[in-house]
Amino acid sequence: MKNLALIVLVLAWLSTTSYSTIAQEKLLTNQKPYGKLWTKVDSLLSMNANADSILSKIDRINTKAYKQNDIPSIIKTIYYKAVLISNNRVKGRYDAIAYVELELKQSKGLLTTLLQSMLADLYLKLANDYSYSSSNKDSLTDNIRLWSKNQIKSRINELLLLSLTNEQSKTVDIRTFDVFDGNAYEERPTLFDYLSYYAIENYKTQDWGRFIKYDPMLFSTDYFLSNPEPKYTVQSIYYRLLKFHR
């Protein structure tokens, strides 16, 4: 389970990190299981090998991980593959999104939760890409290349909220991952906490919730929670977080 949290930590730069950087940082490799296979992937990355040869090795690990229902290794392979696709193909962001969307359709449980958060980040990077051009008119197709900014934004919003619906994430102690520093546990003790704050930060980045953030200086927690759940998204997420920890 330790590898899962690290996936969440790197979501913010998922689609912009080069695979050579991945090799240098060794974010997820050289860890059991499949240590030898990941070492081979590291070696290929460090040599700037052909992306297809690297992807074939990652696919081998992915196949083994799925057979064993090894969620940490599955999400790890999906992350690596998405980065490689994004950086090594023309319009790679679109292909990476299509790949992760397909994996999401086939997933369940915590894997679904993490893929929803990962996809939201990929869409955010696409929307912020200077080379991304979209029509002001919504498209009636599933082809994201034709989507408007509003459609991209709607999908991001949907994914961020869906990533917070899995009750199982509330039972996953973040200390199990053993990757957080300082007072991280005090601030975000569960996977649910971490994904919630991740969603909030993304809303703030897009200025979708800049004027509706919950501020404990304005009113007490008891007063805040004594009222119905707010209709505004960021306040609603804070509300659920506070309810969860009461």
Side-chain angles (χ1 to χ4, degrees), residues 72-91:
S73 295
I74 293 170
I75 198 73
K76 176 177 170 180
T77 57
I78 293 172
Y79 159 69
Y80 264 75
K81 191 168 181 176
V83 172
L84 285 164
I85 292 173
S86 182
N87 289 326
N88 291 280
R89 296 181 184 175
V90 176
K91 298 294 183 180

Side-chain angles (χ1 to χ4, degrees), residues 14-231:
L14 172 66
S15 58
T16 59
T17 304
S18 67
Y19 62 80
S20 60
T21 301
I22 297 172
Q24 293 166 6
E25 295 292 341
K26 297 185 186 300
L27 289 174
L28 297 170
T29 55
N30 291 335
Q31 298 179 23
K32 294 181 180 180
Y34 321 119
K36 290 184 178 180
L37 289 173
W38 280 115
T39 298
K40 180 62 176 177
V41 170
D42 268 336
S43 177
L44 292 172
L45 288 169
S46 65
M47 294 186 295
N48 291 323
N50 180 275
D52 288 338
S53 65
I54 303 172
L55 287 170
S56 68
K57 297 291 187 298
I58 294 173
D59 284 339
R60 283 182 57 195
I61 301 172
N62 180 269
T63 299
K64 291 176 179 290
Y66 265 112
K67 286 181 179 180
Q68 298 182 24
N69 195 30
D70 181 352
I71 293 177
S73 295
I74 293 170
I75 198 73
K76 176 177 170 180
T77 57
I78 293 172
Y79 159 69
Y80 264 75
K81 191 168 181 176
V83 172
L84 285 164
I85 292 173
S86 182
N87 289 326
N88 291 280
R89 296 181 184 175
V90 176
K91 298 294 183 180
R93 293 195 195 279
Y94 296 107
D95 293 336
I97 287 173
Y99 161 62
V100 180
E101 285 277 16
L102 181 60
E103 291 288 339
L104 176 61
K105 290 180 181 179
Q106 301 169 347
S107 68
K108 60 183 179 179
L110 283 178
L111 180 58
T112 296
T113 299
L114 290 167
L115 287 176
Q116 287 163 342
S117 190
M118 182 187 293
L119 257 177
D121 185 78
L122 283 170
Y123 277 109
L124 274 165
K125 293 296 190 298
L126 176 64
N128 294 329
D129 191 336
Y130 70 92
S131 65
Y132 171 70
S133 59
S134 64
S135 169
N136 291 325
K137 187 176 181 180
D138 289 350
S139 171
L140 299 178
T141 74
D142 292 331
N143 185 351
I144 62 174
R145 289 175 170 83
L146 304 177
W147 281 9
S148 68
K149 289 274 189 177
N150 283 335
Q151 285 178 290
I152 296 289
K153 180 177 176 180
S154 177
R155 182 58 173 153
I156 294 167
N157 179 60
E158 177 187 27
L159 288 164
L160 288 174
L161 294 180
L162 284 173
S163 71
L164 304 179
T165 60
N166 186 351
E167 291 293 314
Q168 186 181 359
S169 68
K170 295 179 179 179
T171 68
V172 180
D173 191 327
I174 210 68
R175 290 177 298 184
T176 305
F177 304 135
D178 194 29
V179 295
F180 294 94
D181 298 322
N183 298 318
Y185 173 73
E186 297 298 327
E187 299 172 357
R188 306 172 187 189
T190 70
L191 183 58
F192 175 73
D193 290 281
Y194 195 92
L195 292 175
S196 294
Y197 280 108
Y198 176 73
I200 289 169
E201 287 304 312
N202 276 316
Y203 279 114
K204 288 165 61 180
T205 299
Q206 297 298 313
D207 288 331
W208 299 339
R210 63 187 186 280
F211 59 96
I212 54 176
K213 177 181 176 180
Y214 165 64
D215 188 345
M217 298 297 291
L218 298 180
F219 37 75
S220 69
T221 300
D222 288 338
Y223 176 78
F224 183 55
L225 295 179
S226 68
N227 289 281
E229 182 175 328
K231 63 179 180 179

